[in-house]
Amino acid sequence: MSRRMFLTCLIVVQAAISLRMCNAEETTSDSLPTLAPPICLGGPLTQCKWLDEPSGITICSEGSWPADPAFDVPPTTQHLILYNIKFPNRENSFRFSHLINLTVLQIEYSESCDLTTGATVPFLFQNLVASLDRSTMRTLFFTHIHFETIDDDFFAGFSGLESVEFDNCRIKEFTRRSFSPLAMGAPVSSLPGARNTSSFKQLRVVHAAELTEFAWEVLYPVAESLEGSPS
Ligand SMILES: *[C@@H]1O[C@H](CO)[C@@H](O)[C@H](O)[C@H]1NC(C)=O
Ligand SMILES: *[C@@H]1O[C@H](CO)[C@@H](O)[C@H](O)[C@H]1NC(C)=O
């Protein structure tokens, strides 16, 4: 089977899994009483698999992120997909500093778990990427991740980011300086207080019913580089 076919199959399989998950949620949400806090950590990670070159894609899916500090994502990874994973809220649990060629990070249907209460908490993205060289990252995709607030530190270190997509991420707010870390290039002029240049081109926020207000001013730091939407 060709690489392209394999990837297509994979996407179809993922779509089927998503559909099943949505259906399960719908049927159980109002029939179950809430008793003890949910235990959010699951079983061991099912797989972390590097697809062959030239795609450079690694897919890690289903289960809890391993506590074993020796656990590594393949260093050749250029595009990392984290699918349906429970991440502990412990700091320094993730070793990504060896992913020197990573440019695309895609996180889907994943959760952060508070290890003391066993409850799911809004996703701790900065905690997850703390060890990563974020300055070489170009693209972020988030699907079905619970964020609530995209705060001033969310994009910290992502100075070369070109695009981000939030799909079904329950975002309520982007804070005032949330896009500032994306504008760390040389100043546009030598005048004091001149804004920095940025590489950021594309922001997509879809299925965001909870985002009732969006202050366009938050995009001021990236206003020059941002490209208009084709649709
Ligand atoms: C990173 O990319 C460079 C250039 O394509 C390549 O020579 C190098 O082997 C890659 N390193 C890893 C760890 O994949
Ligand atoms: C411009 O970028 C530098 C780092 O390159 C940063 O220290 C500074 O705060 C930025 N200025 C603005 C206005 O964002």
Side-chain angles (χ1 to χ4, degrees):
M1 172 157 67
S2 78
R3 240 171 244 133
R4 190 177 295 270
M5 261 177 70
F6 180 66
L7 273 179
T8 308
C9 291
L10 200 79
I11 290 162
V12 171
V13 169
Q14 283 205 356
I17 294 171
S18 319
L19 205 64
R20 211 154 11 105
M21 284 179 45
C22 289
N23 289 342
E25 269 167 22
E26 269 167 28
T27 50
T28 55
S29 62
D30 50 24
S31 54
L32 286 178
T34 35
L35 300 168
I39 304 302
C40 55
L41 288 177
L45 206 63
T46 305
Q47 65 159 348
C48 223
K49 187 166 182 276
W50 188 69
L51 304 185
D52 61 353
E53 286 182 272
S55 72
I57 299 179
T58 293
I59 302 180
C60 301
S61 63
E62 318 277 346
S64 301
W65 194 256
D68 179 0
F71 176 79
D72 267 344
V73 171
T76 41
T77 303
Q78 295 162 35
H79 177 163
L80 177 61
I81 303 178
L82 303 173
Y83 178 79
N84 198 11
I85 296 179
K86 319 276 188 196
F87 293 99
N89 68 341
R90 218 186 299 107
E91 276 180 32
N92 306 318
S93 306
F94 313 105
R95 300 201 314 141
F96 293 135
S97 55
H98 62 295
L99 300 180
I100 55 168
N101 285 344
L102 188 71
T103 56
V104 184
L105 179 59
Q106 182 171 349
I107 312 180
E108 304 190 357
Y109 293 92
S110 295
E111 294 175 328
S112 288
C113 296
D114 184 324
L115 296 179
T116 46
T117 64
T120 296
V121 293
F123 199 78
L124 298 164
F125 178 58
Q126 296 86 351
N127 188 18
L128 179 71
V129 297
S131 67
L132 187 68
D133 177 3
R134 285 152 280 164
S135 67
T136 56
M137 293 292 305
R138 297 291 173 256
T139 308
L140 296 172
F141 289 109
F142 301 102
T143 306
H144 281 265
I145 305 294
H146 177 194
F147 282 125
E148 286 194 8
T149 301
I150 303 302
D151 66 16
D152 292 359
D153 291 327
F154 188 91
F155 293 117
F158 288 92
S159 51
L161 198 71
E162 292 176 358
S163 81
V164 62
E165 176 167 324
F166 296 100
D167 182 356
N168 263 298
C169 288
R170 296 166 66 180
I171 296 171
K172 289 185 179 146
E173 181 193 17
F174 286 85
T175 58
R176 209 171 66 84
R177 297 183 55 78
S178 47
F179 288 89
S180 296
L182 303 181
M184 287 295 158
V188 292
S189 84
S190 56
L191 295 174
R195 81 168 127 195
N196 288 335
T197 50
S198 158
S199 328
F200 192 65
K201 296 191 183 81
Q202 197 175 58
L203 167 69
R204 275 177 59 88
V205 185
V206 287
H207 302 114
E210 280 139 324
L211 186 68
T212 51
E213 278 179 47
F214 183 82
W216 291 97
E217 293 81 6
V218 304
L219 293 174
Y220 176 75
V222 295
E224 223 108 349
S225 53
L226 207 58
E227 289 172 356
S229 164
S231 55

